[in-house]
Short mmCIF file of all heavy atoms in Angstrom, two decimals:
data_model
loop_
_atom_site.label_atom_id
_atom_site.label_comp_id
_atom_site.label_asym_id
_atom_site.label_seq_id
_atom_site.Cartn_x
_atom_site.Cartn_y
_atom_site.Cartn_z
N ASP K 174 -16.04 -10.75 -15.57
CA ASP K 174 -15.55 -11.67 -16.61
C ASP K 174 -16.74 -12.39 -17.21
O ASP K 174 -17.48 -13.07 -16.48
CB ASP K 174 -14.55 -12.66 -16.00
CG ASP K 174 -13.77 -13.42 -17.07
OD1 ASP K 174 -14.39 -13.85 -18.08
OD2 ASP K 174 -12.54 -13.57 -16.92
N PRO K 175 -16.92 -12.29 -18.54
CA PRO K 175 -18.09 -12.93 -19.15
C PRO K 175 -18.07 -14.46 -19.07
O PRO K 175 -19.11 -15.09 -19.28
CB PRO K 175 -18.03 -12.44 -20.61
CG PRO K 175 -16.61 -12.05 -20.82
CD PRO K 175 -16.12 -11.57 -19.50
N ARG K 176 -16.92 -15.03 -18.72
CA ARG K 176 -16.85 -16.50 -18.67
C ARG K 176 -17.51 -17.06 -17.41
O ARG K 176 -17.73 -18.24 -17.30
CB ARG K 176 -15.40 -16.97 -18.75
CG ARG K 176 -14.76 -16.79 -20.09
CD ARG K 176 -13.25 -17.02 -20.02
NE ARG K 176 -12.56 -15.95 -19.26
CZ ARG K 176 -11.25 -15.85 -19.16
NH1 ARG K 176 -10.48 -16.72 -19.77
NH2 ARG K 176 -10.70 -14.86 -18.49
N GLY K 177 -17.79 -16.19 -16.45
CA GLY K 177 -18.40 -16.69 -15.21
C GLY K 177 -17.80 -16.00 -14.01
O GLY K 177 -17.19 -14.92 -14.14
N ARG K 178 -17.99 -16.58 -12.84
CA ARG K 178 -17.47 -15.95 -11.63
C ARG K 178 -15.97 -16.15 -11.58
O ARG K 178 -15.49 -17.27 -11.38
CB ARG K 178 -18.10 -16.58 -10.36
CG ARG K 178 -19.45 -16.02 -9.93
CD ARG K 178 -19.55 -14.52 -9.98
NE ARG K 178 -18.78 -13.77 -9.02
CZ ARG K 178 -19.22 -13.35 -7.83
NH1 ARG K 178 -20.43 -13.65 -7.44
NH2 ARG K 178 -18.46 -12.63 -7.05
N VAL K 179 -15.24 -15.08 -11.74
CA VAL K 179 -13.77 -15.11 -11.67
C VAL K 179 -13.34 -14.06 -10.66
O VAL K 179 -13.66 -12.87 -10.80
CB VAL K 179 -13.12 -14.82 -13.03
CG1 VAL K 179 -11.61 -14.85 -12.88
CG2 VAL K 179 -13.56 -15.85 -14.07
N VAL K 180 -12.65 -14.53 -9.62
CA VAL K 180 -12.06 -13.59 -8.65
C VAL K 180 -10.58 -13.50 -8.99
O VAL K 180 -9.90 -14.53 -9.17
CB VAL K 180 -12.24 -14.11 -7.21
CG1 VAL K 180 -11.36 -13.32 -6.27
CG2 VAL K 180 -13.70 -13.98 -6.81
N THR K 181 -10.05 -12.28 -9.11
CA THR K 181 -8.65 -12.12 -9.38
C THR K 181 -7.94 -11.51 -8.20
O THR K 181 -8.48 -10.58 -7.56
CB THR K 181 -8.40 -11.30 -10.65
OG1 THR K 181 -7.02 -11.46 -11.02
CG2 THR K 181 -8.69 -9.82 -10.42
N VAL K 182 -6.79 -12.06 -7.88
CA VAL K 182 -5.94 -11.50 -6.83
C VAL K 182 -4.82 -10.76 -7.52
O VAL K 182 -4.00 -11.37 -8.22
CB VAL K 182 -5.38 -12.60 -5.92
CG1 VAL K 182 -4.59 -11.99 -4.76
CG2 VAL K 182 -6.53 -13.47 -5.38
N ALA K 183 -4.81 -9.43 -7.37
CA ALA K 183 -3.83 -8.61 -8.07
C ALA K 183 -2.57 -8.51 -7.22
O ALA K 183 -2.63 -8.37 -5.99
CB ALA K 183 -4.37 -7.23 -8.34
N TYR K 184 -1.42 -8.58 -7.90
CA TYR K 184 -0.13 -8.41 -7.26
C TYR K 184 0.59 -7.22 -7.88
O TYR K 184 0.40 -6.92 -9.08
CB TYR K 184 0.73 -9.69 -7.38
CG TYR K 184 0.39 -10.71 -6.33
CD1 TYR K 184 -0.73 -11.51 -6.48
CD2 TYR K 184 1.19 -10.88 -5.20
CE1 TYR K 184 -1.07 -12.44 -5.51
CE2 TYR K 184 0.86 -11.83 -4.23
CZ TYR K 184 -0.28 -12.60 -4.39
OH TYR K 184 -0.60 -13.53 -3.42
N LEU K 185 1.40 -6.56 -7.06
CA LEU K 185 2.14 -5.41 -7.54
C LEU K 185 3.62 -5.77 -7.55
O LEU K 185 4.15 -6.23 -6.55
CB LEU K 185 1.91 -4.22 -6.59
CG LEU K 185 2.70 -2.95 -6.86
CD1 LEU K 185 2.31 -2.34 -8.18
CD2 LEU K 185 2.51 -1.94 -5.73
N ALA K 186 4.26 -5.59 -8.70
CA ALA K 186 5.68 -5.86 -8.84
C ALA K 186 6.39 -4.58 -9.25
O ALA K 186 5.93 -3.85 -10.12
CB ALA K 186 5.92 -6.96 -9.89
N LEU K 187 7.54 -4.33 -8.60
CA LEU K 187 8.36 -3.19 -8.95
C LEU K 187 9.71 -3.72 -9.42
O LEU K 187 10.37 -4.47 -8.69
CB LEU K 187 8.56 -2.26 -7.73
CG LEU K 187 7.29 -1.87 -6.99
CD1 LEU K 187 7.64 -0.94 -5.82
CD2 LEU K 187 6.29 -1.22 -7.91
N LEU K 188 10.11 -3.37 -10.62
CA LEU K 188 11.34 -3.92 -11.20
C LEU K 188 12.23 -2.83 -11.73
O LEU K 188 11.74 -1.78 -12.15
CB LEU K 188 10.98 -4.89 -12.36
CG LEU K 188 10.14 -6.12 -12.03
CD1 LEU K 188 9.95 -6.95 -13.28
CD2 LEU K 188 10.77 -6.91 -10.92
N PRO K 189 13.55 -3.07 -11.77
CA PRO K 189 14.42 -2.16 -12.49
C PRO K 189 14.13 -2.25 -13.98
O PRO K 189 13.47 -3.17 -14.44
CB PRO K 189 15.83 -2.68 -12.16
CG PRO K 189 15.67 -3.97 -11.44
CD PRO K 189 14.25 -4.17 -11.10
N ASP K 190 14.63 -1.27 -14.73
CA ASP K 190 14.35 -1.19 -16.15
C ASP K 190 15.03 -2.34 -16.88
O ASP K 190 16.22 -2.29 -17.12
CB ASP K 190 14.83 0.17 -16.67
CG ASP K 190 14.40 0.36 -18.12
OD1 ASP K 190 13.60 -0.45 -18.61
OD2 ASP K 190 14.87 1.31 -18.73
N LEU K 191 14.30 -3.37 -17.21
CA LEU K 191 14.84 -4.53 -17.89
C LEU K 191 14.97 -4.25 -19.37
O LEU K 191 14.30 -3.37 -19.90
CB LEU K 191 13.94 -5.75 -17.67
CG LEU K 191 13.80 -6.14 -16.19
CD1 LEU K 191 12.75 -7.25 -16.05
CD2 LEU K 191 15.12 -6.57 -15.64
N PRO K 192 15.83 -5.02 -20.08
CA PRO K 192 16.08 -4.78 -21.50
C PRO K 192 14.79 -4.60 -22.28
O PRO K 192 14.50 -3.54 -22.78
CB PRO K 192 16.80 -6.08 -21.94
CG PRO K 192 17.43 -6.60 -20.72
CD PRO K 192 16.64 -6.11 -19.54
N VAL K 193 13.99 -5.65 -22.35
CA VAL K 193 12.68 -5.62 -23.00
C VAL K 193 12.03 -6.95 -22.71
O VAL K 193 12.67 -8.01 -22.76
CB VAL K 193 12.80 -5.40 -24.52
CG1 VAL K 193 12.04 -6.48 -25.28
CG2 VAL K 193 12.25 -4.03 -24.91
N PRO K 194 10.79 -6.94 -22.33
CA PRO K 194 10.17 -8.20 -21.99
C PRO K 194 10.08 -9.12 -23.19
O PRO K 194 9.73 -8.68 -24.29
CB PRO K 194 8.79 -7.79 -21.50
CG PRO K 194 8.55 -6.44 -22.10
CD PRO K 194 9.89 -5.80 -22.22
N LYS K 195 10.41 -10.38 -22.97
CA LYS K 195 10.23 -11.36 -24.03
C LYS K 195 8.74 -11.63 -24.21
O LYS K 195 7.98 -11.60 -23.23
CB LYS K 195 10.92 -12.68 -23.66
CG LYS K 195 12.29 -12.49 -23.11
CD LYS K 195 12.73 -13.70 -22.28
CE LYS K 195 14.10 -13.44 -21.60
NZ LYS K 195 14.50 -14.51 -20.72
N ALA K 196 8.35 -11.88 -25.42
CA ALA K 196 6.95 -12.22 -25.66
C ALA K 196 6.62 -13.47 -24.84
O ALA K 196 7.30 -14.47 -24.90
CB ALA K 196 6.70 -12.47 -27.13
N GLY K 197 5.58 -13.38 -24.02
CA GLY K 197 5.21 -14.53 -23.17
C GLY K 197 4.74 -15.69 -24.00
O GLY K 197 4.64 -15.63 -25.22
N THR K 198 4.51 -16.76 -23.29
CA THR K 198 4.12 -18.00 -24.00
C THR K 198 2.76 -17.85 -24.63
O THR K 198 2.56 -18.14 -25.82
CB THR K 198 4.10 -19.18 -23.02
OG1 THR K 198 3.22 -18.81 -21.92
CG2 THR K 198 5.47 -19.43 -22.46
N ASP K 199 1.78 -17.40 -23.83
CA ASP K 199 0.42 -17.35 -24.34
C ASP K 199 0.03 -15.96 -24.81
O ASP K 199 -0.94 -15.81 -25.56
CB ASP K 199 -0.57 -17.82 -23.26
CG ASP K 199 -0.28 -17.14 -21.94
OD1 ASP K 199 0.87 -17.23 -21.49
OD2 ASP K 199 -1.19 -16.52 -21.37
N ALA K 200 0.77 -14.94 -24.39
CA ALA K 200 0.39 -13.58 -24.78
C ALA K 200 1.07 -13.25 -26.12
O ALA K 200 2.24 -13.56 -26.34
CB ALA K 200 0.84 -12.59 -23.73
N ALA K 201 0.30 -12.63 -26.99
CA ALA K 201 0.83 -12.33 -28.31
C ALA K 201 1.98 -11.36 -28.20
O ALA K 201 3.07 -11.58 -28.74
CB ALA K 201 -0.28 -11.76 -29.20
N GLU K 202 1.80 -10.25 -27.48
CA GLU K 202 2.83 -9.25 -27.35
C GLU K 202 2.89 -8.80 -25.91
O GLU K 202 1.90 -8.84 -25.18
CB GLU K 202 2.53 -8.03 -28.22
CG GLU K 202 2.10 -8.33 -29.62
CD GLU K 202 1.56 -7.08 -30.30
OE1 GLU K 202 2.19 -6.04 -30.16
OE2 GLU K 202 0.50 -7.18 -30.93
N ALA K 203 4.05 -8.35 -25.49
CA ALA K 203 4.17 -7.75 -24.16
C ALA K 203 5.05 -6.53 -24.30
O ALA K 203 6.13 -6.58 -24.92
CB ALA K 203 4.80 -8.75 -23.18
N GLU K 204 4.61 -5.42 -23.75
CA GLU K 204 5.34 -4.16 -23.92
C GLU K 204 5.24 -3.31 -22.67
O GLU K 204 4.27 -3.36 -21.92
CB GLU K 204 4.72 -3.33 -25.08
CG GLU K 204 5.01 -3.89 -26.44
CD GLU K 204 4.43 -2.96 -27.52
OE1 GLU K 204 4.16 -1.78 -27.22
OE2 GLU K 204 4.26 -3.42 -28.64
N TRP K 205 6.31 -2.51 -22.45
CA TRP K 205 6.24 -1.45 -21.45
C TRP K 205 5.46 -0.29 -22.04
O TRP K 205 5.79 0.17 -23.15
CB TRP K 205 7.63 -0.98 -21.06
CG TRP K 205 8.46 -2.00 -20.33
CD1 TRP K 205 9.61 -2.57 -20.75
CD2 TRP K 205 8.22 -2.51 -19.01
NE1 TRP K 205 10.10 -3.43 -19.82
CE2 TRP K 205 9.25 -3.41 -18.72
CE3 TRP K 205 7.22 -2.33 -18.09
CZ2 TRP K 205 9.33 -4.12 -17.54
CZ3 TRP K 205 7.29 -3.03 -16.88
CH2 TRP K 205 8.34 -3.92 -16.62
N ARG K 206 4.52 0.22 -21.32
CA ARG K 206 3.71 1.35 -21.77
C ARG K 206 3.61 2.37 -20.63
O ARG K 206 3.40 1.95 -19.48
CB ARG K 206 2.31 0.95 -22.17
CG ARG K 206 2.26 0.21 -23.50
CD ARG K 206 2.52 1.19 -24.61
NE ARG K 206 2.86 0.50 -25.84
CZ ARG K 206 3.25 1.16 -26.94
NH1 ARG K 206 3.33 2.46 -26.93
NH2 ARG K 206 3.55 0.50 -28.04
N PRO K 207 3.74 3.65 -20.91
CA PRO K 207 3.55 4.64 -19.86
C PRO K 207 2.17 4.45 -19.21
O PRO K 207 1.19 4.19 -19.90
CB PRO K 207 3.64 5.97 -20.60
CG PRO K 207 4.48 5.68 -21.79
CD PRO K 207 4.14 4.27 -22.19
N VAL K 208 2.15 4.59 -17.91
CA VAL K 208 0.91 4.43 -17.17
C VAL K 208 -0.14 5.41 -17.67
O VAL K 208 0.13 6.60 -17.87
CB VAL K 208 1.19 4.64 -15.66
CG1 VAL K 208 -0.10 4.97 -14.92
CG2 VAL K 208 1.86 3.42 -15.09
N GLY K 209 -1.34 4.91 -17.92
CA GLY K 209 -2.41 5.79 -18.33
C GLY K 209 -2.54 5.98 -19.81
O GLY K 209 -3.45 6.67 -20.28
N GLU K 210 -1.61 5.39 -20.58
CA GLU K 210 -1.63 5.64 -22.02
C GLU K 210 -2.75 4.88 -22.72
O GLU K 210 -3.33 5.37 -23.70
CB GLU K 210 -0.28 5.24 -22.62
CG GLU K 210 -0.09 5.67 -24.06
CD GLU K 210 1.19 5.10 -24.64
OE1 GLU K 210 1.16 3.97 -25.18
OE2 GLU K 210 2.22 5.78 -24.55
N ARG K 211 -3.04 3.67 -22.24
CA ARG K 211 -4.03 2.84 -22.92
C ARG K 211 -5.21 2.51 -21.99
O ARG K 211 -5.04 2.40 -20.77
CB ARG K 211 -3.39 1.53 -23.40
CG ARG K 211 -2.26 1.72 -24.37
CD ARG K 211 -1.78 0.38 -24.89
NE ARG K 211 -0.71 0.51 -25.85
CZ ARG K 211 -0.92 0.84 -27.13
NH1 ARG K 211 -2.14 1.06 -27.55
NH2 ARG K 211 0.09 0.98 -27.95
N ARG K 212 -6.34 2.30 -22.58
CA ARG K 212 -7.49 1.74 -21.86
C ARG K 212 -7.32 0.22 -21.86
O ARG K 212 -6.94 -0.38 -22.86
CB ARG K 212 -8.78 2.09 -22.52
CG ARG K 212 -9.08 3.61 -22.59
CD ARG K 212 -9.85 4.08 -21.37
NE ARG K 212 -9.02 4.09 -20.16
CZ ARG K 212 -8.15 5.06 -19.86
NH1 ARG K 212 -7.98 6.07 -20.65
NH2 ARG K 212 -7.44 4.99 -18.74
N LEU K 213 -7.64 -0.41 -20.74
CA LEU K 213 -7.38 -1.84 -20.62
C LEU K 213 -8.66 -2.62 -20.53
O LEU K 213 -9.73 -2.08 -20.25
CB LEU K 213 -6.53 -2.07 -19.36
CG LEU K 213 -5.23 -1.30 -19.27
CD1 LEU K 213 -4.49 -1.66 -18.00
CD2 LEU K 213 -4.36 -1.54 -20.49
N ALA K 214 -8.55 -3.94 -20.76
CA ALA K 214 -9.70 -4.83 -20.76
C ALA K 214 -10.12 -5.12 -19.32
O ALA K 214 -9.43 -4.78 -18.36
CB ALA K 214 -9.36 -6.12 -21.47
N PHE K 215 -11.28 -5.78 -19.19
CA PHE K 215 -11.82 -6.13 -17.88
C PHE K 215 -11.88 -4.90 -16.98
O PHE K 215 -12.18 -3.80 -17.48
CB PHE K 215 -10.98 -7.24 -17.21
CG PHE K 215 -10.89 -8.50 -18.00
CD1 PHE K 215 -9.73 -8.83 -18.68
CD2 PHE K 215 -11.97 -9.38 -18.10
CE1 PHE K 215 -9.63 -9.98 -19.42
CE2 PHE K 215 -11.90 -10.55 -18.85
CZ PHE K 215 -10.73 -10.86 -19.49
N ASP K 216 -11.59 -5.08 -15.70
CA ASP K 216 -11.48 -3.95 -14.77
C ASP K 216 -10.04 -3.58 -14.52
O ASP K 216 -9.68 -3.09 -13.46
CB ASP K 216 -12.22 -4.29 -13.45
CG ASP K 216 -11.77 -5.63 -12.90
OD1 ASP K 216 -10.89 -6.28 -13.54
OD2 ASP K 216 -12.32 -6.07 -11.88
N HIS K 217 -9.19 -3.81 -15.50
CA HIS K 217 -7.74 -3.62 -15.27
C HIS K 217 -7.35 -2.17 -15.14
O HIS K 217 -6.28 -1.89 -14.57
CB HIS K 217 -6.97 -4.33 -16.40
CG HIS K 217 -7.02 -5.82 -16.29
ND1 HIS K 217 -6.26 -6.64 -17.10
CD2 HIS K 217 -7.72 -6.63 -15.47
CE1 HIS K 217 -6.51 -7.92 -16.77
NE2 HIS K 217 -7.41 -7.92 -15.81
N ASP K 218 -8.15 -1.25 -15.67
CA ASP K 218 -7.84 0.15 -15.45
C ASP K 218 -7.90 0.47 -13.96
O ASP K 218 -7.03 1.18 -13.41
CB ASP K 218 -8.84 1.04 -16.20
CG ASP K 218 -8.43 1.22 -17.66
OD1 ASP K 218 -7.25 1.37 -17.93
OD2 ASP K 218 -9.32 1.15 -18.52
N ARG K 219 -8.89 -0.03 -13.33
CA ARG K 219 -9.05 0.18 -11.90
C ARG K 219 -7.92 -0.49 -11.12
O ARG K 219 -7.35 0.11 -10.18
CB ARG K 219 -10.40 -0.38 -11.45
CG ARG K 219 -10.59 -0.50 -9.98
CD ARG K 219 -10.85 0.84 -9.33
NE ARG K 219 -10.80 0.74 -7.89
CZ ARG K 219 -11.77 0.20 -7.15
NH1 ARG K 219 -12.85 -0.23 -7.74
NH2 ARG K 219 -11.65 0.14 -5.84
N ILE K 220 -7.58 -1.71 -11.49
CA ILE K 220 -6.51 -2.41 -10.80
C ILE K 220 -5.18 -1.67 -10.95
O ILE K 220 -4.42 -1.50 -10.01
CB ILE K 220 -6.38 -3.86 -11.33
CG1 ILE K 220 -7.69 -4.62 -11.07
CG2 ILE K 220 -5.21 -4.58 -10.70
CD1 ILE K 220 -7.73 -6.01 -11.68
N LEU K 221 -4.93 -1.20 -12.19
CA LEU K 221 -3.71 -0.48 -12.43
C LEU K 221 -3.67 0.80 -11.62
O LEU K 221 -2.65 1.15 -11.00
CB LEU K 221 -3.59 -0.14 -13.93
CG LEU K 221 -2.44 0.78 -14.33
CD1 LEU K 221 -1.11 0.20 -13.90
CD2 LEU K 221 -2.46 1.03 -15.83
N ALA K 222 -4.81 1.52 -11.55
CA ALA K 222 -4.84 2.75 -10.76
C ALA K 222 -4.56 2.46 -9.30
O ALA K 222 -3.83 3.20 -8.62
CB ALA K 222 -6.21 3.42 -10.92
N ASP K 223 -5.13 1.39 -8.78
CA ASP K 223 -4.87 1.03 -7.39
C ASP K 223 -3.38 0.70 -7.18
O ASP K 223 -2.78 1.06 -6.17
CB ASP K 223 -5.72 -0.19 -6.98
CG ASP K 223 -7.19 0.17 -6.87
OD1 ASP K 223 -7.53 1.37 -6.86
OD2 ASP K 223 -8.02 -0.76 -6.81
#
Side-chain angles (χ1 to χ4, degrees):
Chain K
D174 193 317
R176 289 169 291 187
R178 276 316 291 267
V179 179
V180 167
T181 193
V182 184
Y184 278 78
L185 175 66
L187 310 181
L188 299 183
D190 188 9
L191 299 173
V193 126
K195 315 159 185 175
T198 55
D199 47 306
E202 313 168 46
E204 288 184 19
W205 293 115
R206 285 290 163 185
V208 160
E210 190 186 88
R211 299 185 179 281
R212 299 269 72 80
L213 305 182
F215 301 106
D216 50 2
H217 288 188
D218 278 319
R219 167 75 190 285
I220 299 175
L221 173 58
D223 289 347

